[in-house]
């Protein structure tokens, strides 16, 4: 920048390119299937499987510390989400909900882990796929319990006089079958995307300021302090979004299972 | 969350229908406006009906 020695070579402002790390395929080439993002996906899956396998390998009546942790996580998904939202018959969805919660949480956590620092969920494909799974699940469960016609009637025909129904049925249809998967995935994606973008802006902005003029150094320090503060905010967002996604999935399943509205 | 989704769904769906009517009859935006208002009304009605007391 203007011939001054640049502290950091990254360009400012950050762009969408920052979300697409280069391929790390060992045989070279520009392979989109082997990037930092997919590596994190595999690490997340492996971490969750290994953690629960190890924790349950030798279960004790009086749980060990690791077993206690695993049981607490599953118990949270089972009691605080599945039972709380769906009721006693929700226990059979507890494995899915607990897995979903763990998976989203670990994937989100990469956003603030040193050396990873980006969440795979900031790529729309990941939340979109998770939303598709939840969408298929709650529709399947509803159709299986009520039959197709009764399920559609339950979820699309509200209790209202017949003359308002033409106005309401399209709204119910769009809200249940079109907007739900969309809002579910966009909520998670946008949170992780914006979180990463914010951290980039404040970190790189600090460098841009100090590169532009040495007198601006205090402001760039302020910018980096804010980065630390925002990282703590990200911790909250990471946990909250995993929870929200899971709770909403549970609430959709509950709505599909409900007899009458 | 459900309330917001009903409101948005109502305005989007009936706004879209109104927009199509606009294109069909070349009414220049009147039908879109009517549709959005109708959709918002329907959304509010649904919220009261499904989530209200």
């Amino acid at each position: 920048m203007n011939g001054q020695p640049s502290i950091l070579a990254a360009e400012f402002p950050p762009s969408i390119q920052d979300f697409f790390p280069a391929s790390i395929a060992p045989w070279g080439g520009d392979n989109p299937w082997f990037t930092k993002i997919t590596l994190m996906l595999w690490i997340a899956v492996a971490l969750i499987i290994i953690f629960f396998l190890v924790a349950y390998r030798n279960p004790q009546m009086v749980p060990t510390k690791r077993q206690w942790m695993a049981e607490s996580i599953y118990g949270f998904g089972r009691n605080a989400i599945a039972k709380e939202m769906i009721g006693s018959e929700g226990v059979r969805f507890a494995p899915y909900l607990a897995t979903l919660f763990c998976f989203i949480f670990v994937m989100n956590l990469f956003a603030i882990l040193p050396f990873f620092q980006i969440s795979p969920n900031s790529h729309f494909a990941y939340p979109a796929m998770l939303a598709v799974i939840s969408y298929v699940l709650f529709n399947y469960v509803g159709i299986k319990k009520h039959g197709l016609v009764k399920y559609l009637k339950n979820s699309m025909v509200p209790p209202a006089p017949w003359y308002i129904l033409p106005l309401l049925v399209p709204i119910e249809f769009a809200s249940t079958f079109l907007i739900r998967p969309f809002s579910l995935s966009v909520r998670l994606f946008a949170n992780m995307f914006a979180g990463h973008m914010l951290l980039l802006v404040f970190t790189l902005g600090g460098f841009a300021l100090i590169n532009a003029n040495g007198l601006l150094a205090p402001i760039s320090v302020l910018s980096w302090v804010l980065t630390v503060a925002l990282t703590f905010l990200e911790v909250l967002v990471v946990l909250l979004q995993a929870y929200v996604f899971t709770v909403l999935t549970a609430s959709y399943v509950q709505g599909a299972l409900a007899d009458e509205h | 969350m459900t309330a917001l989704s009903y409101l948005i769904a109502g305005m989007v769906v009936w706004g879209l229908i109104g927009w199509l009517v606009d294109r069909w009859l070349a009414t220049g935006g009147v039908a879109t406006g009517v549709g959005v208002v109708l959709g918002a009304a329907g959304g509010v009605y649904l919220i009261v009906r499904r989530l209200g007391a």
Side-chain angles (χ1 to χ4, degrees):
Chain A
M1 290 168 193
N2 299 336
Q4 288 179 4
S6 173
I7 299 176
L8 189 76
E11 56 187 278
F12 186 84
S15 74
I16 197 79
Q17 258 344 92
D18 294 315
F19 286 86
F20 293 93
S23 166
I24 53 167
W27 51 88
D30 192 24
N31 192 325
W33 294 96
F34 293 91
T35 64
K36 193 172 152 190
I37 303 288
T38 52
L39 177 71
M40 284 188 284
L41 171 69
W42 290 111
I43 291 176
V45 172
L47 262 183
I48 293 169
I49 292 176
I50 290 171
F51 171 70
F52 279 101
L53 280 184
V54 168
Y56 267 31
R57 195 170 47 180
N58 188 14
Q60 312 277 319
M61 275 302 282
V62 179
T64 58
K65 198 174 174 192
R66 223 184 273 121
Q67 190 189 345
W68 173 80
M69 266 178 73
E71 280 177 359
S72 307
I73 296 171
Y74 179 71
F76 175 72
R78 182 180 185 271
N79 298 328
I81 299 178
K83 265 189 166 177
E84 183 74 21
M85 298 298 300
I86 311 177
S88 55
E89 65 176 329
V91 173
R92 61 195 169 110
F93 299 103
Y96 173 65
L97 294 173
T99 312
L100 189 68
F101 178 77
C102 291
F103 182 65
I104 298 179
F105 176 70
V106 174
M107 292 271 274
N108 283 356
L109 201 61
F110 283 127
I112 47 171
L113 277 191
F115 304 112
F116 291 108
Q117 309 220 344
I118 181 172
S119 169
N121 281 336
S122 59
H123 281 234
F124 188 52
Y126 292 95
M129 203 58 221
L130 292 173
V132 165
I133 297 172
S134 290
Y135 182 70
V136 170
L137 172 78
F138 83 78
N139 280 320
Y140 173 77
V141 161
I143 292 172
K144 196 175 167 208
K145 170 151 188 199
H146 298 296
L148 181 62
V149 175
K150 185 149 180 287
Y151 171 62
L152 287 180
K153 184 175 168 295
N154 263 356
S155 49
M156 280 168 53
V157 184
W162 61 269
Y163 49 85
I164 332 181
L165 282 183
L167 180 74
L168 300 184
V169 169
I171 301 179
E172 286 275 22
F173 172 76
S175 140
T176 308
F177 295 108
L178 302 179
I179 294 186
R180 264 184 191 183
F182 184 73
S183 68
L184 199 58
S185 49
V186 165
R187 185 178 302 113
L188 179 57
F189 157 72
N191 269 287
M192 298 327 292
F193 183 92
H196 184 64
M197 206 54 148
L198 260 181
L199 292 182
L200 275 182
V201 164
F202 277 88
T203 315
L204 299 180
F207 284 110
L209 281 168
I210 208 168
N211 282 337
N213 190 337
L215 290 177
L216 290 174
I219 303 178
S220 61
V221 169
L222 176 71
S223 169
W224 291 325
V225 168
L226 278 173
T227 309
V228 176
L230 282 170
T231 305
F232 282 105
L233 182 74
E234 276 292 292
V235 178
L236 189 71
V237 171
V238 158
L239 197 61
L240 200 65
Q241 286 309 315
Y243 178 68
V244 163
F245 197 102
T246 318
V247 160
L248 281 176
T249 300
S251 126
Y252 295 159
V253 169
Q254 187 270 332
L257 284 176
D259 283 323
E260 292 293 332
H261 285 290
Chain B
M1 213 65 88
T2 326
L4 193 67
S5 131
Y6 273 141
L7 209 52
I8 294 174
M11 291 168 75
V12 167
V13 169
W14 285 100
L16 190 72
I17 293 174
W19 181 75
L20 289 175
V21 171
D22 262 340
R23 297 207 35 171
W24 178 39
L25 300 175
T27 34
V30 178
T32 311
V34 173
V36 169
V37 172
L38 262 184
V44 170
Y45 182 86
L46 269 179
I47 293 167
V48 172
R49 217 50 221 263
R50 291 236 158 156
L51 307 170

